[in-house]
Amino acid sequence: VRMVTLRNRYEVVRPVYSEDSFAADHEKVCRRRKTILQHIKEYLTCDSKRATNAVLSLLPIIGWMRIYRVREWLLGDVVSGISTGMVAIMQGLAFSLLASLPPSYGLYTAFFPMLTYFFLGTSRHISVGSFPVLSLMVGAVVTRLVPEQGAPANITGFEGLTQDQQRVLVASSVTFLMGVFQLAMGIMQVGFVVMYLSDTLVSGFTTAAAVHILVSQLKFVLGLSVPGINGPLSIIYTLEKIFVQITSTNICDLVMSILIMIVVFIVKELNNIYKAKLPVPIPIEVIMTIIACGVSYGFNFEERFDVGIVGKMVSGYETPIAPNMQVIQNSAVEAFPIAIVGFAVAFSVAKVYSIKHDYTIDGNQELIAFGVSNIFGASFRSFAASTALSRTAVQESSGGKTQIAGLISAMMAMIVTVALGFLLEPLPKSVLGALVIVNLKGMLMQFSEILYLWRKDKPDCVVWVVTCLGAILLGLDIGLAVGLGVELLTVEKVNKSWIYLKIFRIPSPIFFANIEFFKDKLVEVGFNPLRVLRKRNKALRKIKKLLKKSNDDTTEKGFRDLFSQTTDDMNMEELDLPTDLKDLPFRMDWNAELPPNISVPRVDLHSLILDFSAVSFLDISTLKEFIHIDVDVYIVSCDAYILEKLHSCMFFDDEILTSMFFPTLHDAMLHVLDKHKDKKSNGRCCPAEGNVDVIFLENQVSMKDVTRQCKACFVYKLCNSLLGLDHSCEMFLIFFS
């Protein structure tokens, strides 16, 4: 006897339509398009509300200062600022060597750019200052125009300047042009360009940069005199010169560097292991620098062992300088990729912490902020500024809540520059080189991604390898261009697919350049699922505290008293976990009336259906956020090849299930109807109240006037006639074709 599994069946009965008969039965809803004159008029129109929004957008400091909690945040910002400042000082000194500049100018970079970012930046947590990759890219221009051996380039303005002064002029001019590029892109609202630098490309590029940085610091660690070399295969020529002189290694430099790298590495690992127990990470770089300065001064390393030291530090700040136009003309090709990489790194780091702490950042405003910061800093002889993940991690983990921590770290750099710089003069350059190398661990560990990418996505693996090899062998600027070209070539093209109900057609699959757009549209259902989850978890924590305190029945007054208290001791990681309702003695209804002192957003959505018939790449991390707040997610028409890749990558788990996938849109819709057929409509019984919402995505361009039609919309009528939707159905459909 063969067992037969009974399943729901569906039949579609409707008239045969021609274009004329369909138009007669269903009203066509057209998108209202504005003329050029209407756009210009709207752009030039100004009122008090628009002026206020413009000021708040241009000066984000006004927004977060209005909500600043002095008692709760100030102490954390001060402690974080001091901790970050010490790290920024050491990194500024070390990274200035990468830029082929005197170490004291690294302190300028830790001070001036932060002053303007404090007012203009939208991130509350990133630490603005030097970044090793940018320092190396600036250093390549510096050594090209002002080589260590031989005459400098024939540039007007070099007359009467020392070699160090010429190099500072080159670095500041390149930084000025970098800032102009960033500011121009911000004004033209082209912050989206960073989307074309995928995570894979950035990983391969930064890994190659780490190799360049490692090689560039070997001469300091070994105490050798190796001139800077630029251009394709420069890394090979540099290694050749190092190995030719290897027998001349300064043993004192080598031993000191190895000891410092071992100690710093061990303490950093301990910081990671015990970061939950440590109030602030141990500032091991600062400790080792102080010890090295003292030992070098006490034993006179410079004369006794011929150790290269930092030497004379610039005391105080010099007068502003103007950029050299000839340097700008000679460095325009290099300045543009420096601007792109600097913004991409800063925006990526800022985005991580904005998601963690639940606030928004603006890519275009970040471009403006970094553009102005680099222009302002370059006028005072600082070099390219971005952010460093390690320094930002210190600022956030040590209690920093706002950019007041960044401002305090800048003040720390100012104190050292003005009053304490002479104490760093005996510091061996090999110590700075060792600190740079030991901080490359994170970037060098990215080599392990090759095997993972090969199993997950071979085209991505090719992009990573080509970008990395290209940047290592051809130079960072050319390598970045090569990687971007290969990345665009490996984007798969998918043929047009047929879907049951064609609403709109996107002419390309979802890939790295438009995945953020897709995620943004996904949360346009009327609420942000991650914020809803966090508010629910905060409310649930308060409810459980009340239940734990009292064995009596929970009263309405008890809820009010509890919710009037603030509980900020719950960390963000706990807030992002799925809501745990298993210990409650009652059924929790988040859409029911809650005490007046608590605000949990209402979620009237129970199902989300996505049509992926034309999608060749998936990044659906946002879907888990919907699942955590009890919204069912279904994916339809997903290509079999994509499903195979998801299985091979072990993508599915206890939350993302294969049962979420349906072969057609209609199967998924009937499943939702059957699942929710007995549920009430929350008092809504009229189709005109918007039971079916449809988002139209047009050519990856964000539409502010996203169409949300109801009974008058031909989509509703068509759905109703084809699928027999009843009035109790609440669904949100996103169609891709």
Side-chain angles (χ1 to χ4, degrees), residues 72-73 75-80 279-280 394-402 405:
E72 299 175 36
W73 293 357
L75 179 60
D77 279 340
V78 172
V79 173
S80 173
V280 294
V394 171
Q395 180 165 317
E396 188 268 345
S397 63
S398 57
K401 300 293 184 183
T402 66

Side-chain angles (χ1 to χ4, degrees), residues 97-149:
L97 296 182
L98 295 175
S100 300
L101 299 173
S104 55
Y105 291 95
L107 300 180
Y108 288 16
T109 309
F111 176 69
F112 287 108
M114 184 63 236
L115 298 183
T116 47
Y117 187 86
F118 177 77
F119 295 98
L120 301 176
T122 59
S123 173
R124 303 176 194 172
H125 291 89
I126 64 171
S127 174
V128 177
S130 55
F131 179 60
V133 177
L134 294 189
S135 301
L136 189 68
M137 297 175 79
V138 170
V141 183
V142 170
T143 54
R144 176 171 64 83
L145 296 180
V146 188
E148 292 182 10
Q149 299 176 359

Side-chain angles (χ1 to χ4, degrees), residues 538 542 545-546 549 557-568 597-598:
K538 284 184 179 179
K542 296 174 183 178
K545 278 189 176 182
L546 179 65
K549 288 181 179 178
K557 182 179 183 300
F559 270 114
R560 285 202 186 101
D561 292 342
L562 183 67
F563 286 119
S564 64
Q565 304 168 10
T566 60
T567 57
D568 292 329
N597 293 323
I598 190 67

